[in-house]
Amino acid sequence: FQLSPSQINDILRAGELSHKTLDLNGKAASSVLRFESNQLASNSPIEDRRSAATCLQTAGMMFGVFDGHAGSACAQAVSERLLHYIAVSLMSRQSLEEIELAVESMKPVRPILQWHRHPNDVEYREITSRYFENLRVYWQHLLDLDTEPGFSLEEAMVCAFKRLDSDISLEVQAPQENELMRNIALQVAFSGATACVAHVDGVHLHVANTGDCRAVLGVREEDGTWSTLPLTRDHNVCDEFEIRRLKREHPRSEEKTLFVNDRLLGILMPSRAFGDVQLKWSKELQHSVLENSCDVEALNIYQYVPPNYHTPPYLTAEPEVTYHKLRSKDKFLVIASDGLWEMLSNEKVVKLVAGHLTELNVQKPQLTFKKPVNLGYMHNLLLQRKSRGLASLDQNIATHLIRHAIGSNEYGEVDPEKLAAMLALPEDLARMYRDDITVTVVYFNSETIESYYRD
């Protein structure tokens, strides 16, 4: 079965999302110029999710990539809820009091986020009211704290991640009359998701990461070369810090059983994640919750207690937060699920985005010649003209990265036959060759960043 070039493009571009930031009301332009995003499924249905939103009651924009496992339920819930938890954590006491008063008096609540969504991004509409109730319980908790003006950004992100994971765990334990809501709560808690979220406010960039999604900064040095600045560590068995952390948290007798076949307890690749309560709860709690539920098999919930399960929790959703002060040479941020990083190195990804950026920025060919003119110079000029004449195959940079991730040959060039074969794989085989891939690329406004330093 051979796919035509137009069919390949249709498949690759189906999940494209792009958003350009507008300079509103003469206010200072955002340091985010625009973002472009895309995803390609390997699992059916896809288990990755993504989120992007402008914070309406605080400054800044947020971008998240979520990689689900054992189903998409946990990634779905986290993608819908986590940015709200972070935004609420950042709000002033006065703003929280205002929204609490509005809810109490049944008046409209000022929106907290402006979402930037793809038409195909799904929502659990049936359970939105329950999610809102629990978000309200969280902001009431924040109002009970005698702190003002609230958390630092790092504290807000850590607190939001931990609180949402705690809510996911508690929701499935609470008695639930509505069977649909109970089933969703079960699926969310017993599946899992890693998460990487960036918050950009002016020159302040914070990245919170739990698991093995990754965020990498593309930097253009003064001499015109590009360098790569990773902003996250992969939380898995390949990371010495994670191995040491887990060994500190569990008795010495478990040292040899914590990681088996490069997986946590022989089961999970990432060593931090949302959900996955079967690696967090006691055996007794798991048994009592699943015993009272309906048909667990129909919900695709795997009932297993790993061998050597002695001192839970073995898993945490607590993120590592990295702070970076943006400079005018910081041109873009790439956040992606491990499906991309398994195929392309950090350096290759930055090189591809940089090349794409250069191609898009090239204006009409200059007709002026530098003197003296030699053959090498003329040859380069002709090559530049030729490249300028060719429109980029993908307008969306995330699509460009996905195309290279699954279609590159050993020379780093896209092989049309390989690309077609990878996209034509049947569902049951696709997962053996590639993972779900989700990519968001955020471009920074160098002029805005420069003006911050001037001012």
Side-chain angles (χ1 to χ4, degrees):
F1 177 62
Q2 191 65 41
L3 294 170
S4 69
S6 66
Q7 286 173 317
I8 288 172
N9 287 340
D10 287 346
I11 294 168
L12 287 176
R13 294 172 181 171
E16 284 186 342
L17 170 67
S18 59
H19 175 79
K20 195 169 182 349
T21 311
L22 299 172
D23 180 10
L24 297 171
N25 307 328
K27 289 182 185 174
S30 167
S31 57
V32 172
L33 194 62
R34 68 182 189 280
F35 77 87
E36 292 172 1
S37 178
N38 199 355
Q39 50 185 181
L40 179 72
S42 161
N43 293 291
S44 182
I46 188 169
E47 293 182 349
D48 279 9
R49 293 291 185 272
R50 58 184 168 176
S51 294
T54 301
C55 304
L56 296 175
Q57 302 209 23
T58 59
M61 286 183 80
M62 287 192 278
F63 307 91
V65 168
F66 313 95
D67 185 351
H69 46 262
S72 61
C74 189
Q76 175 65 39
V78 174
S79 71
E80 284 186 49
R81 304 176 70 182
L82 183 57
L83 303 196
H84 267 122
Y85 277 65
I86 296 170
V88 161
S89 306
L90 291 170
M91 284 163 64
S92 66
R93 173 171 285 274
Q94 185 184 342
S95 298
L96 291 174
E97 283 171 349
E98 282 173 11
I99 61 170
E100 175 57 24
L101 193 64
V103 175
E104 265 182 27
S105 52
M106 297 178 78
K107 289 180 179 168
V109 178
R110 279 172 59 207
I112 296 169
L113 298 173
Q114 178 195 346
W115 292 96
H116 309 297
R117 285 195 166 111
H118 187 273
N120 294 348
D121 287 352
V122 286
E123 272 184 280
Y124 279 166
R125 292 196 180 277
E126 307 87 348
I127 206 165
T128 306
S129 58
R130 164 55 63 90
Y131 287 168
F132 182 79
E133 284 167 27
N134 287 346
L135 182 68
R136 184 187 180 191
V137 171
Y138 177 47
W139 80 56
Q140 287 171 337
H141 161 73
L142 294 176
L143 283 169
D144 289 341
L145 302 173
D146 294 327
T147 53
E148 184 62 44
F151 295 125
S152 70
L153 229 150
E154 181 174 341
E155 289 168 337
M157 292 179 104
V158 171
C159 192
F161 272 63
K162 289 166 76 174
R163 176 67 184 221
L164 175 55
D165 193 52
S166 168
D167 282 357
I168 286 169
S169 177
L170 292 170
E171 283 159 11
V172 71
Q173 296 174 55
Q176 186 68 258
E177 287 177 19
N178 183 315
E179 192 181 336
L180 175 69
M181 286 195 176
R182 173 153 183 76
N183 289 351
I184 291 174
L186 276 162
Q187 286 177 318
V188 169
F190 279 87
S191 60
T194 62
C196 186
V197 175
H199 182 284
V200 190
D201 176 12
V203 293
H204 305 293
L205 168 63
H206 289 80
V207 178
N209 184 53
T210 284
D212 52 10
C213 293
R214 200 182 294 174
V216 172
L217 204 59
V219 183
R220 186 164 193 187
E221 304 296 349
E222 285 178 17
D223 63 0
T225 60
W226 287 88
S227 64
T228 305
L229 181 62
L231 296 177
T232 56
R233 280 189 308 117
D234 295 354
H235 297 136
N236 56 30
V237 71
C238 301
D239 187 86
E240 286 178 25
F241 292 100
E242 282 298 279
I243 292 171
R244 286 207 288 273
R245 176 183 68 80
L246 277 148
K247 284 182 175 177
R248 277 197 309 273
E249 292 173 5
H250 298 278
R252 225 173 169 170
S253 57
E254 293 187 55
E255 274 194 9
K256 288 183 178 171
T257 57
L258 273 174
F259 295 99
V260 179
N261 298 329
D262 290 345
R263 291 171 179 260
L264 183 62
L265 295 182
I267 288 168
L268 199 61
M269 290 282 280
S271 54
R272 303 192 192 197
F274 283 90
D276 287 316
V277 292
Q278 60 273 46
L279 294 176
K280 294 174 180 174
W281 290 354
S282 69
K283 295 177 190 175
E284 294 74 25
L285 179 56
Q286 290 184 49
H287 187 70
S288 68
V289 167
L290 289 174
E291 200 178 44
N292 298 328
S293 62
C294 41
D295 188 352
V296 171
E297 217 168 282
L299 296 174
N300 277 336
I301 290 170
Y302 306 108
Q303 289 188 71
Y304 58 83
V305 176
N308 306 302
Y309 192 79
H310 306 299
T311 54
Y314 289 92
L315 198 61
T316 178
E318 182 169 344
E320 269 190 309
V321 181
T322 308
Y323 170 69
H324 178 79
K325 193 169 187 180
L326 291 170
R327 308 153 297 181
S328 58
K329 66 179 185 176
D330 298 323
K331 299 301 179 186
F332 56 83
L333 174 72
V334 182
I335 312 172
S337 58
D338 67 340
L340 181 78
W341 308 112
E342 284 166 3
M343 303 289 205
L344 300 173
S345 67
N346 294 358
E347 291 72 22
K348 180 67 177 171
V349 166
V350 167
K351 189 179 172 186
L352 284 166
V353 179
H356 194 264
L357 200 55
T358 306
E359 204 174 312
L360 289 180
N361 285 344
V362 166
Q363 301 302 316
K364 289 178 184 175
Q366 293 176 340
L367 295 174
T368 51
F369 293 109
K370 287 180 185 172
K371 291 179 181 176
V373 174
N374 59 33
L375 278 174
Y377 178 75
M378 289 296 291
H379 180 66
N380 278 335
L381 197 69
L382 287 168
L383 285 176
Q384 282 175 17
R385 286 191 180 185
K386 189 180 175 187
S387 71
R388 286 168 183 174
L390 295 170
S392 174
L393 185 61
D394 296 305
Q395 288 301 306
N396 186 305
I397 184 58
T399 309
H400 188 62
L401 289 173
I402 292 170
R403 189 185 294 272
H404 276 266
I406 63 168
S408 283
N409 58 21
E410 64 265 39
Y411 307 110
E413 297 162 350
V414 174
D415 177 342
E417 284 187 17
K418 182 184 177 186
L419 182 63
M422 289 288 271
L423 289 174
L425 286 168
E427 284 176 7
D428 52 343
L429 277 181
R431 188 64 189 83
M432 294 167 68
Y433 290 89
R434 58 184 174 85
D435 196 356
D436 295 333
I437 302 177
T438 298
V439 188
T440 295
V441 180
V442 181
Y443 289 103
F444 298 116
N445 189 332
S446 301
E447 288 176 18
T448 304
I449 292 167
E450 277 171 23
S451 71
Y452 172 89
Y453 287 104
R454 278 201 305 273
D455 296 344

